[in-house]
């Protein structure tokens, strides 16, 4: 049976959180065994918000090392840096000509980021979903693993693919969003009704993948809970429910098992146990990432090999697109 093609990407902008790990990267490890996967480090998307160039380069390598440390196997998938495959930008330009301004104005992320970065509302910020559509369609992806907050971007990619196919003939596969069931949403430790975000201004709201054990435990001790001292899952107890979810995610237990384990115990002991479970799970990943970062030659080789594999697939699609729209490509 032919494997399905799967595409996913994460920006190398700042530290990833345990939410990024639980909701995305950890699932990719399983998905790479069942699908033909293209995993990108989305540095082109990252510059829609101002970046320090040296930091962007450093974060790119750190993210590549983190992927591998978490279990992404470069032998099983194409692990590459987006900007090293120029077809992403080239396809985006063609797709721009069949994408409407009104569609881009309605995108939730554009509205949110325009408010957060009011001094830098650039065209790249508006065009972000078209680049994302190019990312996905370039590899003829069947599946795109996303959280609920990114589903809108897959929907616009589907719309663009269908529109292009209708105008120029069958060219793109129409991708499906793959909403991951487990660990898809880890909330902020300070505002548990909101998703944990790596761009949160309150550093106590997130656990970063790079946080050491003391930092992890300190942040969990400060996590927002409630006043009734009962450790149970409830919509009325978002803080405790979030901590139970995190504990279950990092121990392999179900949320219900975690709830039973801490029945009758105090919040202090519970928070400490969650912190220790997370810190213990992060320690081997951090050690492996550090080891990989010490071997720049290996990392550079992995990314070059991944880019070459991605380039071949991307070039095939772009050549087809250019032919369909009437671009002269020589004899």
């Amino acid at each position: 049976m032919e494997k399905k093609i799967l595409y996913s990407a994460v920006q190398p902008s700042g530290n990833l959180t345990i939410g990024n790990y639980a909701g995305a990267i950890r699932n990719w490890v399983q998905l790479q065994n069942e699908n033909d996967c293209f995993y990108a480090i989305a540095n082109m998307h990252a510059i829609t918000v101002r970046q320090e160039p040296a930091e962007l380069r450093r974060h790119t390598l750190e993210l590549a090392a983190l992927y591998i440390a978490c279990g992404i196997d470069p032998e099983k998938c194409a692990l590459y840096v987006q900007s090293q495959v120029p077809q992403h930008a080239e396809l985006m330009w063609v797709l721009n000509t069949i994408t409407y301004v009104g569609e881009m104005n309605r995108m939730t992320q554009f509205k949110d980021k325009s408010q957060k970065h009011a001094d830098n509302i650039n065209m790249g910020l508006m065009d972000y979903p078209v680049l994302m559509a190019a990312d996905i369609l370039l590899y003829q992806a069947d599946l795109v693993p996303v959280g609920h907050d990114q589903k809108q971007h897959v929907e616009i990619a589907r719309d663009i693919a269908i529109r292009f196919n209708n105008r120029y003939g069958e060219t793109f596969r129409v991708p499906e969003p793959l909403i991951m069931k487990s660990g898809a949403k880890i909330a902020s430790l300070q505002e548990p009704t909101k998703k944990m975000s790596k761009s949160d201004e309150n550093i106590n709201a997130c656990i970063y993948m790079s946080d050491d054990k003391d930092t992890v435990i300190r942040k969990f001790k400060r996590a927002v809970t409630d006043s009734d001292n009962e450790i149970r899952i409830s919509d009325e107890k978002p803080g405790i429910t979030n901590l139970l979810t995190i504990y279950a995610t990092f121990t392999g237990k179900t949320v219900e098992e975690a709830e039973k384990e801490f029945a009758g115990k105090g919040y202090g002991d519970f928070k400490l146990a969650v912190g220790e479970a997370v810190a213990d799970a992060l320690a081997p990943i951090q050690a492996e990432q550090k080891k990989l970062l010490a071997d720049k030659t290996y990392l550079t080789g992995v990314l070059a090999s991944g880019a070459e594999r991605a380039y071949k697939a991307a070039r095939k699609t772009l050549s087809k697109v250019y032919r369909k729209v009437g671009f002269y490509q020589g004899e």
Side-chain angles (χ1 to χ4, degrees), residues 202-260:
N202 184 348
I203 58 165
N204 290 312
C206 320
I207 302 294
Y208 296 114
M209 293 297 288
S210 57
D211 282 347
D212 62 29
K213 187 165 187 172
D214 289 348
T215 304
V216 169
I217 288 169
R218 187 175 69 249
K219 286 181 179 180
F220 274 110
K221 281 181 177 174
R222 293 174 180 172
V224 168
T225 49
D226 53 55
S227 56
D228 80 356
N229 282 332
E230 209 178 329
I231 299 168
R232 61 185 169 86
I233 307 155
S234 167
D235 289 342
E236 293 165 11
K237 296 169 74 69
I240 289 297
T241 300
N242 184 43
L243 292 177
L244 283 165
T245 301
I246 293 169
Y247 184 76
T249 299
F250 283 89
T251 58
K253 297 175 182 177
T254 66
V255 176
E256 291 73 21
E257 283 169 346
E259 193 180 31
K260 282 176 190 165

Side-chain angles (χ1 to χ4, degrees), residues 10-12 16 25 41 59-67 289:
V10 171
Q11 290 186 44
L16 291 195
I25 298 174
I41 296 170
H59 287 320
T60 298
L61 276 183
E62 284 173 352
L63 185 53
L66 182 63
Y67 278 175
Q289 183 192 27

Side-chain angles (χ1 to χ4, degrees), residues 39 53 69 145 171 199 271 277 296 328:
Y39 293 144
T171 309
S199 56
K271 287 182 181 182
K296 295 282 197 304
Y328 177 72

Side-chain angles (χ1 to χ4, degrees), residues 25-296:
I25 298 174
R26 196 173 69 149
N27 293 316
W28 292 5
V29 176
Q30 184 59 38
L31 292 168
Q32 73 185 349
N33 297 320
E34 303 152 7
N35 305 279
D36 186 6
C37 296
F38 291 86
Y39 293 144
I41 296 170
N43 59 342
M44 292 169 72
H45 284 287
I47 63 167
T48 56
V49 174
R50 287 193 189 106
Q51 302 288 338
E52 188 61 47
E55 277 188 17
L56 181 59
R57 278 189 290 272
R58 179 168 57 81
H59 287 320
T60 298
L61 276 183
E62 284 173 352
L63 185 53
L66 182 63
Y67 278 175
I68 300 167
C70 289
I72 299 294
D73 184 349
E75 297 294 320
K76 292 181 180 176
C77 62
L79 173 58
Y80 72 100
V81 179
Q82 185 186 26
S83 64
Q84 291 189 309
V85 181
Q87 288 89 350
H88 284 263
E90 293 177 64
L91 180 57
M92 181 187 70
W93 178 252
V94 176
L95 298 184
N96 268 331
T97 65
I98 60 162
T99 305
Y100 304 119
V101 173
E103 291 175 307
M104 296 298 97
N105 272 330
R106 287 194 294 274
M107 297 302 285
T108 307
Q109 191 173 30
F110 175 64
K111 291 176 186 171
D112 292 349
K113 286 206 170 181
S114 295
Q115 287 178 339
K116 280 184 189 170
H117 305 278
D119 60 335
N120 185 27
I121 305 172
N122 59 73
M123 282 307 300
L125 207 54
M126 178 179 265
D127 219 16
Y128 189 107
V130 187
L131 178 56
M132 192 167 173
D135 297 339
I136 296 163
L137 301 180
L138 205 48
Y139 300 100
Q140 303 291 353
D142 299 291
L143 300 169
V144 185
V146 286
H148 289 280
D149 57 328
Q150 286 283 336
K151 198 177 170 193
Q152 191 183 31
H153 284 145
V154 182
E155 284 164 0
I156 198 78
R158 286 172 55 82
D159 291 345
I160 290 169
I162 292 165
R163 192 176 301 152
F164 190 96
N165 290 348
N166 288 341
R167 187 175 299 182
Y168 294 108
E170 209 60 34
T171 309
F172 297 118
R173 285 186 198 177
V174 179
E176 295 285 343
L178 179 63
I179 306 294
M180 303 309 295
K181 300 286 187 289
S182 63
K185 190 165 183 183
I186 284 180
S188 159
L189 298 185
Q190 294 299 312
E191 293 179 83
T193 53
K194 287 185 181 176
K195 181 180 165 184
M196 185 178 283
S197 169
K198 62 181 178 178
S199 56
D200 201 308
E201 288 175 10
N202 184 348
I203 58 165
N204 290 312
C206 320
I207 302 294
Y208 296 114
M209 293 297 288
S210 57
D211 282 347
D212 62 29
K213 187 165 187 172
D214 289 348
T215 304
V216 169
I217 288 169
R218 187 175 69 249
K219 286 181 179 180
F220 274 110
K221 281 181 177 174
R222 293 174 180 172
V224 168
T225 49
D226 53 55
S227 56
D228 80 356
N229 282 332
E230 209 178 329
I231 299 168
R232 61 185 169 86
I233 307 155
S234 167
D235 289 342
E236 293 165 11
K237 296 169 74 69
I240 289 297
T241 300
N242 184 43
L243 292 177
L244 283 165
T245 301
I246 293 169
Y247 184 76
T249 299
F250 283 89
T251 58
K253 297 175 182 177
T254 66
V255 176
E256 291 73 21
E257 283 169 346
E259 193 180 31
K260 282 176 190 165
E261 185 180 337
F262 293 103
K265 294 192 177 166
Y267 281 179
D269 289 343
F270 172 51
K271 287 182 181 182
L272 181 62
V274 179
E276 287 183 337
V278 171
D280 289 348
L282 292 183
I285 294 171
Q286 291 168 348
E288 183 62 18
Q289 183 192 27
K290 189 177 178 184
K291 192 171 121 191
L292 288 162
L293 283 168
D295 191 350
K296 295 282 197 304

